[in-house]
CSV table of all heavy atoms in Angstrom, one decimal:
chain,number,residue,atom,x,y,z
I,1,GLN,N,33.4,-3.8,13.4
I,1,GLN,CA,33.5,-2.3,13.4
I,1,GLN,C,32.1,-1.7,13.6
I,1,GLN,O,31.3,-1.5,12.7
I,1,GLN,CB,34.0,-1.9,12.0
I,1,GLN,CG,35.4,-2.4,11.7
I,1,GLN,CD,36.5,-1.9,12.7
I,1,GLN,OE1,36.4,-0.7,13.0
I,1,GLN,NE2,37.4,-2.7,13.1
I,2,LEU,N,31.8,-1.5,14.8
I,2,LEU,CA,30.4,-1.1,15.2
I,2,LEU,C,30.1,0.4,14.8
I,2,LEU,O,29.0,0.7,14.4
I,2,LEU,CB,30.2,-1.3,16.8
I,2,LEU,CG,28.8,-1.2,17.3
I,2,LEU,CD1,28.0,-2.2,16.6
I,2,LEU,CD2,28.8,-1.4,18.8
I,3,ARG,N,31.1,1.3,14.9
I,3,ARG,CA,30.8,2.7,14.6
I,3,ARG,C,30.4,2.9,13.2
I,3,ARG,O,29.3,3.5,12.9
I,3,ARG,CB,32.0,3.5,15.0
I,3,ARG,CG,31.7,5.0,14.8
I,3,ARG,CD,32.9,5.8,15.4
I,3,ARG,NE,32.6,7.2,15.2
I,3,ARG,CZ,32.9,8.0,14.2
I,3,ARG,NH1,33.6,7.5,13.2
I,3,ARG,NH2,32.6,9.3,14.2
I,4,PRO,N,31.1,2.3,12.2
I,4,PRO,CA,30.6,2.5,10.8
I,4,PRO,C,29.3,1.9,10.5
I,4,PRO,O,28.5,2.5,9.8
I,4,PRO,CB,31.8,1.9,9.9
I,4,PRO,CG,33.0,1.9,10.8
I,4,PRO,CD,32.4,1.8,12.2
I,5,ALA,N,29.1,0.7,11.1
I,5,ALA,CA,27.8,0.1,11.0
I,5,ALA,C,26.6,0.9,11.5
I,5,ALA,O,25.6,1.0,10.8
I,5,ALA,CB,27.8,-1.4,11.6
I,6,LEU,N,26.8,1.4,12.6
I,6,LEU,CA,25.8,2.3,13.3
I,6,LEU,C,25.5,3.6,12.5
I,6,LEU,O,24.4,4.0,12.3
I,6,LEU,CB,26.1,2.6,14.7
I,6,LEU,CG,26.0,1.5,15.7
I,6,LEU,CD1,26.5,1.9,17.1
I,6,LEU,CD2,24.6,0.9,15.7
I,7,LEU,N,26.7,4.1,11.9
I,7,LEU,CA,26.5,5.3,11.0
I,7,LEU,C,25.7,5.0,9.8
I,7,LEU,O,24.8,5.8,9.4
I,7,LEU,CB,27.9,5.8,10.7
I,7,LEU,CG,28.6,6.6,11.8
I,7,LEU,CD1,30.0,7.0,11.4
I,7,LEU,CD2,27.9,7.8,12.2
I,8,VAL,N,25.9,3.8,9.2
I,8,VAL,CA,25.2,3.5,8.0
I,8,VAL,C,23.7,3.2,8.3
I,8,VAL,O,22.8,3.7,7.6
I,8,VAL,CB,25.8,2.1,7.3
I,8,VAL,CG1,24.8,1.6,6.3
I,8,VAL,CG2,27.2,2.5,6.8
I,9,VAL,N,23.4,2.5,9.4
I,9,VAL,CA,22.1,2.3,9.9
I,9,VAL,C,21.4,3.7,10.2
I,9,VAL,O,20.2,3.9,9.8
I,9,VAL,CB,22.0,1.5,11.1
I,9,VAL,CG1,20.7,1.4,11.8
I,9,VAL,CG2,22.4,0.0,10.8
I,10,GLY,N,22.1,4.6,10.8
I,10,GLY,CA,21.6,6.0,11.1
I,10,GLY,C,21.2,6.7,9.8
I,10,GLY,O,20.2,7.4,9.7
I,11,ALA,N,22.2,6.6,8.8
I,11,ALA,CA,21.9,7.3,7.6
I,11,ALA,C,20.6,6.8,6.8
I,11,ALA,O,19.9,7.5,6.3
I,11,ALA,CB,23.1,7.2,6.7
I,12,VAL,N,20.5,5.4,6.9
I,12,VAL,CA,19.3,4.8,6.3
I,12,VAL,C,18.1,5.2,7.0
I,12,VAL,O,17.0,5.5,6.4
I,12,VAL,CB,19.5,3.3,6.1
I,12,VAL,CG1,18.3,2.6,5.7
I,12,VAL,CG2,20.7,2.9,5.3
I,13,LEU,N,18.1,5.2,8.3
I,13,LEU,CA,16.9,5.6,9.1
I,13,LEU,C,16.6,7.1,8.8
I,13,LEU,O,15.4,7.4,8.7
I,13,LEU,CB,17.2,5.4,10.6
I,13,LEU,CG,17.2,3.9,11.1
I,13,LEU,CD1,17.5,3.8,12.5
I,13,LEU,CD2,15.8,3.2,10.8
I,14,ALA,N,17.6,7.9,8.8
I,14,ALA,CA,17.5,9.4,8.4
I,14,ALA,C,16.8,9.5,7.1
I,14,ALA,O,15.9,10.4,6.9
I,14,ALA,CB,18.7,10.1,8.5
I,15,HIS,N,17.2,8.7,6.1
I,15,HIS,CA,16.6,8.8,4.8
I,15,HIS,C,15.1,8.4,4.9
I,15,HIS,O,14.2,9.1,4.3
I,15,HIS,CB,17.3,7.8,3.9
I,15,HIS,CG,16.7,7.8,2.5
I,15,HIS,ND1,15.7,6.9,2.1
I,15,HIS,CD2,17.0,8.6,1.4
I,15,HIS,CE1,15.4,7.2,0.8
I,15,HIS,NE2,16.2,8.1,0.4
I,16,GLY,N,14.7,7.4,5.6
I,16,GLY,CA,13.3,7.0,5.8
I,16,GLY,C,12.5,8.0,6.5
I,16,GLY,O,11.4,8.3,6.1
I,17,LEU,N,13.1,8.7,7.5
I,17,LEU,CA,12.4,9.7,8.2
I,17,LEU,C,12.2,11.0,7.4
I,17,LEU,O,11.2,11.7,7.5
I,17,LEU,CB,13.0,10.0,9.6
I,17,LEU,CG,13.0,8.8,10.6
I,17,LEU,CD1,13.9,9.2,11.8
I,17,LEU,CD2,11.6,8.5,11.0
I,18,LEU,N,13.2,11.3,6.6
I,18,LEU,CA,13.2,12.6,5.9
I,18,LEU,C,12.5,12.5,4.5
I,18,LEU,O,12.2,13.6,4.0
I,18,LEU,CB,14.7,13.1,5.6
I,18,LEU,CG,15.4,13.6,6.8
I,18,LEU,CD1,16.9,13.8,6.4
I,18,LEU,CD2,14.8,14.8,7.4
I,19,LEU,N,12.2,11.3,4.1
I,19,LEU,CA,11.7,11.2,2.7
I,19,LEU,C,10.4,12.0,2.5
I,19,LEU,O,10.3,12.8,1.7
I,19,LEU,CB,11.4,9.7,2.4
I,19,LEU,CG,11.2,9.3,1.0
I,19,LEU,CD1,12.3,9.8,0.1
I,19,LEU,CD2,11.1,7.8,0.8
I,20,ASP,N,9.4,11.8,3.4
I,20,ASP,CA,8.1,12.5,3.2
I,20,ASP,C,8.2,14.0,3.8
I,20,ASP,O,7.6,14.8,3.2
I,20,ASP,CB,7.0,11.8,4.0
I,20,ASP,CG,6.6,10.5,3.3
I,20,ASP,OD1,6.8,10.5,2.0
I,20,ASP,OD2,6.1,9.6,3.9
I,21,LEU,N,9.1,14.2,4.8
I,21,LEU,CA,9.2,15.4,5.4
I,21,LEU,C,9.9,16.4,4.5
I,21,LEU,O,9.5,17.6,4.3
I,21,LEU,CB,9.9,15.3,6.8
I,21,LEU,CG,10.0,16.5,7.6
I,21,LEU,CD1,8.6,17.0,8.0
I,21,LEU,CD2,10.8,16.2,8.8
I,22,ALA,N,11.1,16.0,4.1
I,22,ALA,CA,11.9,16.9,3.3
I,22,ALA,C,12.0,16.6,1.8
I,22,ALA,O,12.6,17.4,1.1
I,22,ALA,CB,13.3,16.9,3.9
I,23,GLY,N,11.5,15.6,1.4
I,23,GLY,CA,11.6,15.2,0.0
I,23,GLY,C,12.8,14.3,-0.3
I,23,GLY,O,13.6,14.1,0.5
I,24,TYR,N,12.7,13.7,-1.5
I,24,TYR,CA,13.7,12.6,-1.9
I,24,TYR,C,15.1,13.2,-2.0
I,24,TYR,O,16.1,12.7,-1.5
I,24,TYR,CB,13.4,12.0,-3.2
I,24,TYR,CG,14.5,11.1,-3.6
I,24,TYR,CD1,14.5,9.8,-3.1
I,24,TYR,CD2,15.4,11.4,-4.5
I,24,TYR,CE1,15.5,8.9,-3.4
I,24,TYR,CE2,16.5,10.6,-4.8
I,24,TYR,CZ,16.5,9.4,-4.3
I,24,TYR,OH,17.5,8.5,-4.6
I,25,LEU,N,15.2,14.4,-2.6
I,25,LEU,CA,16.5,15.0,-2.8
I,25,LEU,C,17.3,15.2,-1.5
I,25,LEU,O,18.5,14.9,-1.4
I,25,LEU,CB,16.4,16.3,-3.6
I,25,LEU,CG,17.6,16.9,-4.3
I,25,LEU,CD1,18.2,15.9,-5.3
I,25,LEU,CD2,17.3,18.2,-5.0
I,26,VAL,N,16.6,15.8,-0.5
I,26,VAL,CA,17.3,16.1,0.7
I,26,VAL,C,17.5,14.7,1.5
I,26,VAL,O,18.7,14.5,2.0
I,26,VAL,CB,16.4,17.0,1.6
I,26,VAL,CG1,17.0,17.1,3.0
I,26,VAL,CG2,16.2,18.4,1.0
I,27,ALA,N,16.5,13.8,1.5
I,27,ALA,CA,16.7,12.6,2.2
I,27,ALA,C,17.9,11.7,1.6
I,27,ALA,O,18.7,11.2,2.3
I,27,ALA,CB,15.4,11.8,2.2
I,28,ALA,N,17.9,11.7,0.2
I,28,ALA,CA,19.0,10.9,-0.4
I,28,ALA,C,20.3,11.6,-0.2
I,28,ALA,O,21.3,10.8,0.0
I,28,ALA,CB,18.7,10.8,-1.9
I,29,PHE,N,20.4,12.9,-0.2
I,29,PHE,CA,21.7,13.6,0.0
I,29,PHE,C,22.2,13.2,1.5
I,29,PHE,O,23.4,12.9,1.6
I,29,PHE,CB,21.4,15.1,-0.1
I,29,PHE,CG,22.6,15.9,0.5
I,29,PHE,CD1,23.8,15.9,-0.2
I,29,PHE,CD2,22.4,16.7,1.7
I,29,PHE,CE1,24.9,16.7,0.4
I,29,PHE,CE2,23.5,17.4,2.2
I,29,PHE,CZ,24.7,17.5,1.6
I,30,VAL,N,21.3,13.3,2.5
I,30,VAL,CA,21.7,12.9,3.8
I,30,VAL,C,22.1,11.4,3.9
I,30,VAL,O,23.2,11.2,4.5
I,30,VAL,CB,20.6,13.2,4.8
I,30,VAL,CG1,20.9,12.7,6.2
I,30,VAL,CG2,20.4,14.7,4.9
I,31,ALA,N,21.5,10.6,3.2
I,31,ALA,CA,21.8,9.2,3.3
I,31,ALA,C,23.1,8.9,2.6
I,31,ALA,O,24.0,8.2,3.1
I,31,ALA,CB,20.7,8.3,2.7
I,32,PHE,N,23.3,9.5,1.4
I,32,PHE,CA,24.5,9.2,0.6
I,32,PHE,C,25.7,9.8,1.3
I,32,PHE,O,26.8,9.2,1.4
I,32,PHE,CB,24.5,9.8,-0.8
I,32,PHE,CG,23.5,9.1,-1.7
I,32,PHE,CD1,22.8,9.8,-2.7
I,32,PHE,CD2,23.2,7.8,-1.6
I,32,PHE,CE1,21.9,9.2,-3.6
I,32,PHE,CE2,22.4,7.1,-2.5
I,32,PHE,CZ,21.7,7.9,-3.4
I,33,TRP,N,25.6,11.0,1.9
I,33,TRP,CA,26.7,11.6,2.6
I,33,TRP,C,27.0,10.8,3.9
I,33,TRP,O,28.2,10.6,4.2
I,33,TRP,CB,26.4,13.1,3.0
I,33,TRP,CG,27.5,13.9,3.5
I,33,TRP,CD1,28.8,13.6,3.6
I,33,TRP,CD2,27.4,15.2,3.9
I,33,TRP,NE1,29.5,14.6,4.1
I,33,TRP,CE2,28.7,15.7,4.3
I,33,TRP,CE3,26.4,16.2,4.1
I,33,TRP,CZ2,29.0,16.9,4.8
I,33,TRP,CZ3,26.7,17.4,4.6
I,33,TRP,CH2,28.0,17.8,4.9
I,34,GLY,N,26.0,10.4,4.7
I,34,GLY,CA,26.2,9.6,5.8
I,34,GLY,C,26.8,8.3,5.6
I,34,GLY,O,27.8,7.9,6.3
I,35,ILE,N,26.5,7.6,4.5
I,35,ILE,CA,27.0,6.3,4.2
I,35,ILE,C,28.5,6.5,3.7
I,35,ILE,O,29.4,5.8,4.1
I,35,ILE,CB,26.2,5.6,3.2
I,35,ILE,CG1,24.8,5.2,3.8
I,35,ILE,CG2,26.9,4.3,2.6
I,35,ILE,CD1,23.9,4.6,2.9
I,36,ALA,N,28.7,7.5,2.9
I,36,ALA,CA,30.1,7.8,2.5
I,36,ALA,C,31.0,8.1,3.6
I,36,ALA,O,32.1,7.7,3.7
I,36,ALA,CB,30.1,9.0,1.4
I,37,TYR,N,30.5,8.9,4.6
I,37,TYR,CA,31.3,9.3,5.7
I,37,TYR,C,31.6,8.0,6.6
I,37,TYR,O,32.8,7.9,7.0
I,37,TYR,CB,30.5,10.3,6.6
I,37,TYR,CG,31.3,10.8,7.8
I,37,TYR,CD1,32.1,11.8,7.7
I,37,TYR,CD2,31.1,10.1,9.0
I,37,TYR,CE1,32.9,12.3,8.8
I,37,TYR,CE2,31.8,10.6,10.2
I,37,TYR,CZ,32.7,11.7,10.0
I,37,TYR,OH,33.4,12.1,11.2
I,38,ALA,N,30.6,7.1,6.8
I,38,ALA,CA,30.8,5.9,7.5
I,38,ALA,C,31.8,5.0,6.9
I,38,ALA,O,32.6,4.3,7.6
I,38,ALA,CB,29.5,5.2,7.7
I,39,LEU,N,31.9,5.1,5.6
I,39,LEU,CA,32.9,4.2,4.8
I,39,LEU,C,34.2,4.8,4.6
I,39,LEU,O,35.1,4.3,3.9
I,39,LEU,CB,32.2,3.8,3.5
I,39,LEU,CG,31.0,3.0,3.6
I,39,LEU,CD1,30.4,2.6,2.2
I,39,LEU,CD2,31.2,1.7,4.4
I,40,GLY,N,34.4,6.1,5.1
I,40,GLY,CA,35.8,6.7,5.1
I,40,GLY,C,35.9,7.9,4.3
I,40,GLY,O,37.0,8.5,4.3
């Protein structure tokens, strides 16, 4: 299942990129939402 796997990878990468720029709260929100979306 390539699409969900790529969505999870994208959410984790977004978390890493947003952490210093937007702060933990925003970065974690984007990561949790992206991973939850990828998992259905």
Side-chain angles (χ1 to χ4, degrees):
Q1 299 293 324
L2 194 58
R3 185 172 184 266
L6 290 176
L7 285 172
V8 169
V9 169
V12 171
L13 289 175
H15 181 268
L17 294 173
L18 288 172
L19 195 56
D20 287 333
L21 183 66
Y24 177 81
L25 197 58
V26 173
F29 166 69
V30 169
F32 291 149
W33 192 4
I35 292 170
Y37 183 86
L39 297 177

